[in-house]
Amino acid sequence: MNFLWLFFLLGFLSPATATCPTPCVCASDITDCSNKDLTVNNIPATFRPSTTTLHLSYNELTSIPNGLFDQLKDLQRVHLEGNPWECDCHILYLRSWLQWQQNRSLYRNVVCISPAHLQGRIISYLTEDEIVATCQSWYCGVAFIVQICLFIFILLQAVLLLLVVFFLRRFYRLAKEGKGTYDDLYENVDVAND
């Protein structure tokens, strides 16, 4: 009985993956998500597996989520123009996908809007070094902060070590005075007993 219930449930779930994602419009093997104010945060996570043409143009996309096109085996063309592409670390997936396309000339209008030194450049023709160089700027800031924290941590350890040495010397001096007082007291007790 449980197997029948699971089979029935899977039967209802399977067509859901073949439905048109919100807010897109679908017809045959074309999925049109253009002019929908899509961003990286609200772009559909999946599209119909039969999609051959995908329209994502004139949205607010700054990058494409990693792996978004990987499950679309029949995908032949994606319209990406009119988006404000930020050519930083997050654009690496899109650049890689574009470079695997047979006719890269179809994507000459997919250009960087930022950073300033890459503005107007075609994404598919960017080198990985050019993109990675934009990523390292924030890594440098993080590395600098980590180095400062490490320096403060080492400085704190040095101060703690000096305090331990100071208190050990003080304890040694007090112990020596205590032993001297004990010895004097013990001698005075011995002299009084004689």
Side-chain angles (χ1 to χ4, degrees):
M1 181 69 177
N2 287 337
F3 289 113
L4 288 174
W5 178 252
L6 181 62
F7 183 72
F8 180 72
L9 184 62
L10 288 176
F12 276 112
L13 291 179
S14 295
T17 60
T19 62
C20 190
T22 308
C24 306
V25 177
C26 300
S28 182
D29 56 356
I30 299 171
T31 302
D32 187 0
C33 301
S34 57
N35 293 307
K36 303 292 183 194
D37 290 323
L38 296 177
T39 65
V40 175
N41 297 324
N42 67 0
I43 190 171
T46 58
F47 296 96
R48 296 181 315 158
S50 62
T51 301
T52 60
T53 304
L54 178 59
H55 294 269
L56 292 173
S57 52
Y58 302 103
N59 284 295
E60 298 300 319
L61 296 170
T62 55
S63 66
I64 295 291
N66 290 343
L68 184 66
F69 302 144
D70 294 350
Q71 300 303 318
L72 302 174
K73 303 301 180 199
D74 297 327
L75 190 62
Q76 297 171 10
R77 173 90 161 99
V78 180
H79 296 270
L80 298 164
E81 62 276 357
N83 285 294
W85 302 110
E86 293 178 6
C87 294
D88 57 10
C89 297
H90 301 104
I91 206 75
L92 284 170
Y93 171 75
L94 177 60
R95 177 199 159 264
S96 176
W97 185 84
L98 290 171
Q99 286 188 330
W100 279 98
Q101 301 311 300
Q102 290 180 3
N103 190 357
R104 280 197 254 168
S105 64
L106 294 174
Y107 301 100
R108 288 186 184 208
N109 54 2
V110 181
V111 296
C112 303
I113 196 166
S114 68
H117 71 283
L118 296 177
Q119 190 173 15
R121 298 276 308 275
I122 300 170
I123 293 175
S124 60
Y125 295 120
L126 292 175
T127 65
E128 191 169 328
D129 291 339
E130 288 176 306
I131 297 171
V132 170
T134 65
C135 304
Q136 293 173 349
S137 64
W138 74 271
Y139 286 133
C140 291
V142 170
F144 181 69
I145 291 170
V146 168
Q147 286 178 344
I148 289 173
C149 290
L150 185 60
F151 176 75
I152 291 170
F153 180 70
I154 291 171
L155 189 64
L156 183 64
Q157 284 184 331
V159 168
L160 289 174
L161 182 62
L162 288 174
L163 286 172
V164 166
V165 169
F166 172 76
F167 283 112
L168 282 176
R169 283 189 176 181
R170 187 172 178 201
F171 177 74
Y172 179 72
R173 190 174 53 234
L174 287 173
K176 197 174 184 181
E177 287 177 15
K179 186 176 188 277
T181 304
Y182 176 77
D183 288 344
D184 289 343
L185 184 63
Y186 187 69
E187 283 180 19
N188 289 339
V189 169
D190 284 342
V191 171
N193 286 340
D194 287 337

